[in-house]
């Protein structure tokens, strides 16, 4: 009904049904954009572009697929287009990752609190996350999109096929190629962390 409400009234800013759709999808769109672009700045740009396209073209949505698939398709395409335009690969620093946790995050911790992850462990985990993100960013745009939709967004093969408008067989073959490439990239990294 939110989509129908948006289609029946032209956008006058981020209000009403448009605001509700934005709130519903903003985190998922950002997450997809971040995993495909590889950094927060580009992810914000791609997210903004995604919502701009979504609100300009919402009247063209014909309910022939899930609305979420349509939104993901726009986010994937916006992210890939942005990466093509901007070849600079940047990765978030540990400071940026900590500042992304938001206001009120305190860097001082009580070392006796067992619920708190110690800095050396946090640094190792963040470094491993960065290595994984780097490996994903080295995949081709098509393989990166498949990987993000499957493992970050947890979409089924059918949902991915619908989102990217490809066959399930193509989804499976691209995932297999992505697995092979990521395995080659990450095996030495994982050996370093776990051996």
């Amino acid at each position: 009904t939110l989509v129908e409400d948006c289609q029946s009234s032209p956008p006058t800013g981020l209000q009403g049904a448009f605001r509700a759709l934005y709130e519903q999808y903003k985190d998922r769109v950002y997450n997809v954009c971040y995993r495909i672009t590889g950094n927060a700045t580009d992810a914000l740009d791609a997210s903004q572009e995604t919502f701009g396209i979504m609100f300009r073209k919402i009247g063209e949505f014909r309910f022939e697929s899930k609305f979420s698939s349509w939104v993901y398709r726009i986010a994937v395409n916006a992210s890939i287009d942005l990466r093509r335009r901007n070849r600079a690969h940047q990765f978030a620093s540990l400071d940026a990752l900590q500042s992304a946790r938001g206001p009120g995050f305190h860097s001082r911790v009580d070392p006796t609190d067992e619920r708190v992850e110690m800095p050396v462990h946090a640094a190792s985990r963040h470094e491993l996350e960065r290595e994984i993100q780097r490996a994903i960013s080295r995949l081709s745009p098509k393989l990166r999109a498949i990987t993000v939709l499957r493992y970050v967004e947890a979409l089924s093969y059918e949902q991915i096929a619908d989102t990217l408008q490809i066959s399930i067989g193509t989804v499976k073959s691209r995932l297999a190629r992505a697995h092979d490439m990521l395995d080659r990239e990450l095996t030495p990294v994982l050996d370093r962390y776990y051996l």
Side-chain angles (χ1 to χ4, degrees), residues 109-153:
V109 297
D110 177 2
T112 61
D113 187 346
E114 292 179 1
R115 297 170 299 164
V116 175
E117 184 176 27
M118 296 311 297
V120 68
H121 298 123
S124 293
R125 185 174 47 78
H126 287 307
E127 183 59 31
L128 180 57
E129 288 172 1
R130 265 202 307 242
E131 292 287 348
I132 292 169
Q133 181 58 45
R134 283 184 185 128
I136 291 171
S137 73
R138 289 201 259 308
L139 295 172
S140 71
K142 289 178 181 180
L143 297 183
R144 192 177 318 123
I146 289 273
T147 303
V148 169
L149 292 175
R150 179 67 177 157
Y151 297 109
V152 176
E153 293 303 312

Side-chain angles (χ1 to χ4, degrees), residues 1-9 13-29 50-51 54-59 61 63 67-68 70-71:
T1 58
L2 283 176
V3 176
E4 291 169 341
D5 290 347
C6 290
Q7 289 178 330
S8 66
S9 61
L14 202 54
Q15 303 168 12
F18 288 97
R19 165 63 75 182
L21 273 180
Y22 171 77
E23 291 297 331
Q24 185 174 343
Y25 285 97
K26 68 179 180 179
D27 293 336
R28 288 185 276 176
V29 164
T50 298
F51 285 107
M54 186 174 116
F55 291 135
R56 280 193 312 275
K57 296 192 171 194
I58 199 162
F61 181 69
F63 300 93
F67 184 73
S68 60
W70 186 70
V71 173

Side-chain angles (χ1 to χ4, degrees), residues 13-81:
L14 202 54
Q15 303 168 12
F18 288 97
R19 165 63 75 182
L21 273 180
Y22 171 77
E23 291 297 331
Q24 185 174 343
Y25 285 97
K26 68 179 180 179
D27 293 336
R28 288 185 276 176
V29 164
Y30 176 82
N31 199 25
V32 166
C33 294
Y34 179 81
R35 295 298 177 173
I36 293 174
T37 63
N39 68 77
T41 302
D42 288 346
L44 286 172
D45 289 346
S47 296
Q48 184 176 3
E49 188 172 336
T50 298
F51 285 107
I53 292 169
M54 186 174 116
F55 291 135
R56 280 193 312 275
K57 296 192 171 194
I58 199 162
E60 297 174 19
F61 181 69
R62 296 291 172 242
F63 300 93
E64 294 167 355
S65 65
K66 285 184 162 186
F67 184 73
S68 60
S69 296
W70 186 70
V71 173
Y72 281 133
R73 187 178 317 127
I74 294 170
V76 165
N77 289 336
S79 300
I80 290 171
D81 289 347

